Amino acid sequence: MMRPYRPKDNVQKKAYYTDRFWIAPRIPEEDVSQDKVYAADIEKIKAKFDIKKAYIQRGQLVVIIDPVINKELLFFLRDELGYDMLMELSAIDYLAQDGEFEVFYQLLSLSKRKRLRVKCRIKEDEAIESVNPVFRSADWSEREMYDMFGIKVNNHPYFKRILMPDDWVGYPLRKTYPLHGDEAAQWYEIDKIFGKEYREIVGPEIRDAAWIDKTDTEQFARYGHEVPKGAPYDSEPVKIDSFNEDAPLVETFDLKKSKIVDRDR
Amino acid sequence: MQQRNRLEPFFENLVFDRDDNTMVVNFGPQHPSAHGQLRLILELDGEQVVKAVPDIGYLHRGMEKMAENMIYNEFLPTTDRMDYIAATSNNYAFAFAVERLLGIENEVPRRAKVIRTILLELNRIISHLFWLATHALDVGAMSVFLYCFREREYAMDLMEDYCGARLTHSAVRIGGVPLDLPKGWLEKLSVFLNNLPSQIELYEGLLDKNRIWRMRLENVGVIPPEMAKSWGCSGIMLRGSGIEWDIRKEEPYELYDELDFDIPVSDRCDSYGRYKLYMEEMRQSIKIIRQLIPMYKETGPELMAKVPQYISASKEDIMTQNYSLMQHFVLVTQGMRPPVGEVYVPTESPKGELGFFIRSEGEPYPYRLKIRAPSFWHTGILQDLLPGHYLADVVTIIGSTNIVFGEIDR
Amino acid sequence: MAQHQVNYAASGGLPVALTTVDKIVNWGRSNSLWALTYGLACCAIEMMASGASRYDFDRFGVIFRASPRQADVMIVAGTLTKKHAEFIRRLYDQMAEPKWVISMGSCANTGGMFNTYATVQGVDRVIPVDLYLPGCAPRPETLQYAVMLLQKKIRKQSIFQKQKPKRLV
């Protein structure tokens, strides 16, 4: 049997079948001039900063910038344009396709009732400047981003893993990280509590929900080889009388043998 | 029988012996009033907190990674376990985000919208009652805990009648709701709603003029508006700081633009103001559901949007029409394929702004799904909020932020 | 003055009941199971509900304690993550003998729906478990039934024998 090919750089689950001629539709990227508020904002941003692209997608303005100006742009957006809250900050892993991460900042303006998303792309080994001086909420978001993707952030006040333990190996949300964890992850609690030599005693994790232990006669019975509950695995199976393999599948009807319930009919 | 193990106290470079007057206290991660698994490392000068370092992640279950390996419909029950006190609001936020990604949010039938809005508001009541119960218990009012849980059980009975589960509802589907309301449900709901205001008055009677309650809540945990904005607070944490912002009003979804309700705001900025807001929001929720009950009777029988490309047809069509059966088979085995693009969709959950960011690459599995959980930042604010307060106030402040660890750690 | 005067001569003589030490000790142990509140996730809410008004756990002698030193039974309610695993082991070690563990909900039993890198696949990898409750989340009635089963188990135990070391895994 051949082992199926699985790409190493992206272990995310894939659809098992895709039509050869199927082309995914796209959400339209609308022109910024459609919305007056956004159009005015983008004029002001363009006057001061060099932006790569701007469009409206599903009612929200998306601005794509160079990562070096992220802090200045957010300062400008907060102080001049009234985007006074940073609602979300995280990244997307495009390492397999482009060797880059996409970092996005989701902003909200309370006075204009508008939302804006700033996006920029950085290389794998690059670091990004912290926006913690602009918005305090970036403090934890950037730590989470580092924890999940391994993106380094410059000038962060307390740069440390936040969700995973400090001695964790790997960055879980990268596409190269398997869903069930690598070896260090799978033995993490055993190594920490009992030590590595206990790995054999405790045994590996059972990740398959349909897994059944063949030798366990307490909880499971083997089909066709049923032994009494708790008996040794290799003991003789219980004889089941009612099961006779030689019996014909359909018996011929015999009036003498049968019990007739309703003779009138 | 003690088993040999290697656990020796390990406190991450913390030095508990100090030369000066300060003392380091480890709080959690398993503390009865930490609302889950919050670990706080507090540096105390006498009884005053000098420095607080919240440590989270003790309930990180890898939901975002799970989402990347599941089709959209498969992920919906997982969202139940985020904010497990008001599960339907999570289901709804996710379903709504996917609907906007697909561009079918206007296809959802009106009856489904009415049911969804009723369930959302009922969950808001459940969540607020639970908040009051645990908060009062932390502060020391045990009887309020018992009274609130009594009322909450009646609301849970209603949820159970509708969807069969007490806690993890999965009561909303992408494109509508799976079931119509059972017979006699609206009457039971009316009975519950008629009973609730007198109960809220009872709680207020027990707490409002209670000297201990006021002393422990007034001027404790003051969040100035600038701080709330800077920390990305939302929901009652933001409205408790005098900022009028409710997504139900500002960016209305479902039927909220047709309903008449008020958004309570408090200028007090402290825990007591937030407590008053919770009580008032429950009354507003009652008002909203009362308006929705007559609306239900005017709607047609459709429950799911009719978009064969993305959403399975009704059971009757699947059983009678060949093409519907084929569509259903493809949607179940492969999953729907949304267009390429990304959306960020905020909704007003009982805790605050619950948003889903979905990046789709046209595959049945989302390329990236980021959950914007309000409690994450409400926990982060503790490191700026706690210094200067007394140790006894720490519990009050944690209680009044209304954090749930399922959605902080995800 | 005693409210009720006992007539020693009537109704079977002296107020003496004969029993074995096993029975009387196990009667005491099984009817005052103080539980350690080990609320981890969603199941903790159902555990609270079983302690609150409608389900009223105090009837069974189950009173939730916050300290492992005062607790007899640990109800592990919710998902155990890898980051938390060492703490559950430490708190289990701190509990005084005899001690029992109820694993409440699918997540604590097997990891449940969270088949991911961050979740311990069953709390029995770390501490020995006496009783597994199925359900996600189990209803308060289920938890009550579990406590009743545990009481049955305790009543069968002999107090003079040392508690058998429970099997891990």
Side-chain angles (χ1 to χ4, degrees):
Chain A
M1 201 180 111
M2 285 223 322
R3 204 159 41 132
Y5 170 70
R6 288 207 176 80
K8 292 271 189 311
D9 55 352
N10 185 352
V11 293
Q12 191 189 349
K13 208 169 167 186
K14 291 276 178 301
Y16 78 94
Y17 173 75
T18 304
D19 192 89
R20 280 169 65 195
F21 302 104
W22 188 75
I23 296 167
R26 295 187 152 269
I27 298 177
E29 295 175 359
E30 292 151 18
D31 196 49
V32 185
S33 57
Q34 288 191 347
D35 191 296
K36 272 184 199 159
V37 182
Y38 283 148
D41 284 351
I42 209 77
E43 282 306 311
K44 284 183 192 155
I45 296 170
K46 269 184 180 163
K48 217 168 164 201
F49 294 97
D50 186 26
I51 60 170
K52 284 182 179 167
K53 203 178 166 191
Y55 56 88
I56 293 177
Q57 197 169 41
R58 289 272 189 259
Q60 288 178 8
L61 179 61
V62 181
V63 181
I64 297 173
I65 58 159
D66 201 48
V68 290
I69 58 163
N70 66 341
K71 194 171 146 193
E72 288 76 40
L73 180 68
L74 289 196
F75 259 125
F76 178 75
L77 286 172
R78 186 190 76 178
D79 296 335
E80 311 288 325
L81 297 183
Y83 286 93
D84 41 11
M85 286 176 84
L86 176 70
M87 300 317 276
E88 180 63 287
L89 186 170
S90 196
I92 308 175
D93 180 353
Y94 285 112
L95 289 180
Q97 295 98 312
D98 314 324
E100 286 174 328
F101 287 111
E102 190 174 89
V103 179
F104 64 87
Y105 303 89
Q106 180 77 37
L107 300 167
L108 164 68
S109 166
L110 293 176
S111 49
K112 294 178 186 166
R113 289 150 172 56
K114 288 282 180 194
R115 289 176 192 271
L116 182 150
R117 183 158 59 244
V118 178
K119 297 206 291 184
C120 57
R121 288 203 165 206
I122 56 165
K123 292 262 181 298
E124 187 181 358
D125 46 356
E126 272 177 355
I128 196 163
E129 181 67 24
S130 170
V131 296
N132 185 39
V134 196
F135 300 107
R136 281 291 282 136
S137 61
D139 183 347
W140 276 31
S141 309
E142 281 168 350
R143 280 174 69 187
E144 194 197 340
M145 184 167 78
Y146 165 69
D147 195 355
M148 291 289 137
F149 291 96
I151 299 173
K152 301 265 193 317
V153 180
N154 287 336
N155 301 323
H156 190 280
Y158 187 61
F159 198 56
K160 186 170 166 296
R161 276 186 185 268
I162 187 166
L163 293 178
M164 305 313 294
D166 285 342
D167 50 353
W168 193 261
V169 181
Y171 301 105
L173 274 183
R174 285 197 183 185
K175 294 283 174 191
T176 48
Y177 196 89
L179 173 66
H180 295 173
D182 51 13
E183 203 202 333
Q186 291 187 348
W187 293 102
Y188 181 83
E189 77 274 18
I190 304 296
D191 288 357
K192 189 147 194 179
I193 297 174
F194 304 112
K196 276 204 167 102
E197 60 274 19
Y198 263 68
R199 281 187 183 192
E200 278 183 18
I201 297 170
V202 178
E205 288 176 331
I206 301 160
R207 291 284 184 175
D208 182 7
W211 181 84
I212 285 174
D213 186 1
K214 262 188 165 181
T215 56
D216 183 1
T217 53
E218 280 285 342
Q219 292 162 36
F220 306 115
R222 240 186 331 156
Y223 180 72
H225 195 272
E226 283 92 348
V227 295
K229 189 176 182 237
Y233 164 66
D234 48 357
S235 57
E236 279 300 303
V238 184
K239 216 173 174 191
I240 302 169
D241 297 330
S242 58
F243 187 71
N244 181 7
E245 281 190 341
D246 298 331
L249 215 61
V250 182
E251 278 188 45
T252 45
F253 176 68
D254 188 356
L255 194 67
K256 281 173 196 163
K257 276 189 191 169
S258 350
K259 185 185 172 190
I260 294 159
V261 184
D262 190 2
R263 190 173 271 279
D264 295 339
R265 280 169 81 190
Chain B
M1 178 62 56
Q2 198 92 346
Q3 222 141 9
R4 278 178 59 84
N5 60 53
R6 313 198 142 183
L7 286 182
E8 282 156 18
F10 167 65
F11 293 104
E12 291 157 16
N13 310 326
L14 281 180
V15 184
F16 283 87
D17 299 324
R18 297 293 179 104
D19 293 335
D20 51 355
N21 250 342
T22 57
M23 181 170 73
V24 175
V25 170
N26 178 52
F27 178 102
Q30 191 41 241
H31 189 276
S33 58
H35 282 227
Q37 309 186 33
L38 172 65
R39 184 177 182 196
L40 273 172
I41 294 156
L42 300 169
E43 207 175 302
L44 302 178
D45 179 16
E47 269 205 68
Q48 217 161 21
V49 180
V50 182
K51 194 183 164 197
V53 182
D55 185 11
I56 61 167
Y58 292 100
L59 195 54
H60 176 67
R61 304 184 270 198
M63 280 191 188
E64 285 165 14
K65 190 81 181 172
M66 275 171 86
E68 288 174 10
N69 293 288
M70 281 177 161
I71 63 172
Y72 288 87
N73 276 318
E74 261 181 312
F75 185 63
L76 199 119
T78 315
T79 57
D80 278 337
R81 280 87 185 162
M82 271 166 44
D83 174 5
Y84 32 75
I85 294 163
T88 307
S89 61
N90 303 301
N91 298 152
Y92 174 73
F94 175 68
F96 183 51
V98 178
E99 279 160 20
R100 184 164 287 174
L101 179 70
L102 303 172
I104 58 163
E105 51 189 302
N106 297 323
E107 311 279 323
V108 178
R110 194 168 163 84
R111 175 165 285 190
K113 283 189 175 181
V114 174
I115 295 175
R116 281 172 170 200
T117 320
I118 292 179
L119 294 181
L120 285 177
E121 290 307 315
L122 191 61
N123 269 270
R124 198 179 302 276
I125 293 173
I126 292 177
S127 169
H128 286 3
L129 280 172
F130 185 85
W131 170 83
L132 183 65
T134 49
H135 187 37
L137 185 67
D138 290 346
V139 175
M142 178 86 184
S143 48
V144 178
F145 168 77
L146 295 172
Y147 285 132
C148 286
F149 259 76
R150 183 186 63 192
E151 263 341 272
R152 184 170 169 271
E153 287 291 338
Y154 295 135
M156 303 263 274
D157 282 351
L158 286 169
M159 282 312 295
E160 201 183 333
D161 275 0
Y162 176 66
C163 63
R166 276 167 57 87
L167 207 66
T168 45
H169 306 138
S170 299
V172 173
R173 296 285 185 278
I174 298 164
V177 289
L179 301 160
D180 205 350
L181 294 179
K183 219 174 169 186
W185 195 82
L186 286 173
E187 287 73 36
K188 280 187 207 162
L189 181 66
S190 310
V191 172
F192 172 72
L193 292 181
N194 290 339
N195 193 24
L196 192 58
S198 63
Q199 295 297 325
I200 296 174
E201 265 168 42
L202 172 76
Y203 309 144
E204 284 188 333
L206 281 168
L207 295 173
D208 267 4
K209 288 179 185 163
N210 188 328
R211 228 170 33 195
I212 303 170
W213 180 256
R214 290 193 78 124
M215 276 169 75
R216 292 203 63 178
L217 262 70
E218 278 179 334
N219 298 322
V220 168
V222 176
I223 305 176
E226 294 75 36
M227 189 170 155
K229 272 190 199 169
S230 176
W231 264 104
C233 286
S234 48
I236 286 186
M237 291 283 277
L238 193 63
R239 293 195 284 276
S241 296
I243 299 165
E244 202 172 330
W245 179 263
D246 189 315
I247 300 165
R248 290 177 292 172
K249 279 273 187 218
E250 312 298 343
E251 298 165 342
Y253 52 94
E254 288 309 294
L255 297 173
Y256 285 118
D257 46 351
E258 299 174 27
L259 297 164
D260 170 38
F261 63 101
D262 302 321
I263 302 300
V265 181
S266 162
D267 288 332
R268 295 181 59 108
C269 305
D270 63 353
S271 303
Y272 190 77
R274 292 195 281 276
Y275 151 72
K276 293 304 283 180
L277 290 187
Y278 278 105
M279 305 309 270
E280 190 53 38
E281 276 214 352
M282 276 199 266
R283 295 208 178 89
Q284 294 300 326
S285 291
I286 297 169
K287 193 173 159 192
I288 293 173
I289 301 178
R290 284 213 173 116
Q291 294 169 42
L292 284 163
I293 291 173
M295 278 175 154
Y296 172 80
K297 284 157 190 153
E298 295 157 9
T299 53
E302 282 90 33
L303 291 173
M304 290 290 276
K306 284 209 165 57
V307 193
Q309 196 184 350
Y310 298 123
I311 289 163
S312 297
S314 66
K315 211 70 184 170
E316 200 189 329
D317 281 0
I318 291 173
M319 294 302 180
T320 52
Q321 290 173 30
N322 194 12
Y323 197 74
S324 297
L325 180 67
M326 283 154 65
Q327 282 283 6
H328 179 65
F329 182 75
V330 171
L331 285 174
V332 170
T333 52
Q334 296 177 20
M336 62 173 91
R337 290 167 196 261
V340 180
E342 56 194 34
V343 285
Y344 173 78
V345 183
T347 55
E348 184 80 19
S349 92
K351 310 276 180 300
E353 178 180 323
L354 177 65
F356 276 83
F357 174 88
I358 303 177
R359 168 78 210 183
S360 156
E361 293 280 337
E363 291 280 311
Y365 303 95
Y367 193 76
R368 173 91 170 98
L369 188 140
K370 179 81 180 75
I371 303 160
R372 195 264 178 219
S375 300
F376 185 75
W377 285 276
H378 295 171
T379 318
I381 203 171
L382 289 177
Q383 55 180 302
D384 285 0
L385 193 59
L386 291 181
H389 284 93
Y390 289 103
L391 181 60
D393 295 338
V394 171
V395 174
T396 314
I397 294 169
I398 294 172
S400 95
T401 50
N402 196 5
I403 49 181
V404 171
F405 271 77
E407 68 175 13
I408 294 171
D409 300 337
R410 301 180 294 274
Chain C
M1 274 293 284
Q3 290 276 319
H4 306 283
Q5 201 174 12
V6 181
N7 187 355
Y8 294 111
S11 65
L14 294 170
V16 174
L18 291 178
T19 178
T20 60
V21 181
D22 265 0
K23 270 190 185 164
I24 188 92
V25 171
N26 280 337
W27 172 78
R29 277 183 184 171
S30 64
N31 285 318
S32 66
L33 277 174
W34 285 11
L36 176 66
T37 49
Y38 219 89
L40 294 171
C42 336
C43 293
I45 310 299
E46 290 297 63
M47 190 169 75
M48 283 174 82
S50 31
S53 325
R54 185 184 281 181
Y55 296 98
D56 190 13
F57 243 20
D58 294 3
R59 295 178 290 161
F60 299 87
V62 178
I63 298 169
F64 289 109
R65 307 305 301 178
S67 162
R69 302 284 186 204
Q70 301 168 343
D72 305 312
V73 54
M74 181 191 246
I75 302 177
V76 185
T79 321
L80 182 70
T81 58
K82 306 233 171 188
K83 195 177 180 182
H84 199 107
E86 57 168 317
F87 295 96
I88 202 169
R89 181 73 218 193
R90 196 177 289 165
L91 286 174
Y92 178 78
D93 287 346
Q94 283 176 12
M95 279 165 70
E97 295 276 349
K99 54 190 171 187
W100 298 275
V101 176
I102 295 176
S103 148
M104 182 182 181
S106 302
C107 291
N109 295 343
T110 64
M113 67 195 298
F114 296 102
N115 196 354
T116 60
Y117 57 92
T119 314
V120 175
Q121 299 296 304
V123 62
D124 52 7
R125 288 176 69 78
V126 183
I127 56 173
V129 176
D130 291 271
L131 223 75
Y132 298 88
L133 289 197
C136 185
R139 297 173 61 90
E141 290 96 326
T142 324
L143 186 58
Q144 287 179 344
Y145 182 57
V147 168
M148 280 150 72
L149 281 182
L150 186 65
Q151 286 178 339
K152 256 189 198 172
K153 181 178 176 176
I154 292 169
R155 283 178 198 136
K156 280 184 194 157
Q157 282 175 345
S158 168
I159 58 153
F160 291 115
Q161 279 172 2
K162 229 178 149 195
Q163 235 187 352
K164 265 191 252 167
K166 284 166 196 159
R167 190 178 60 139
L168 253 180
V169 182

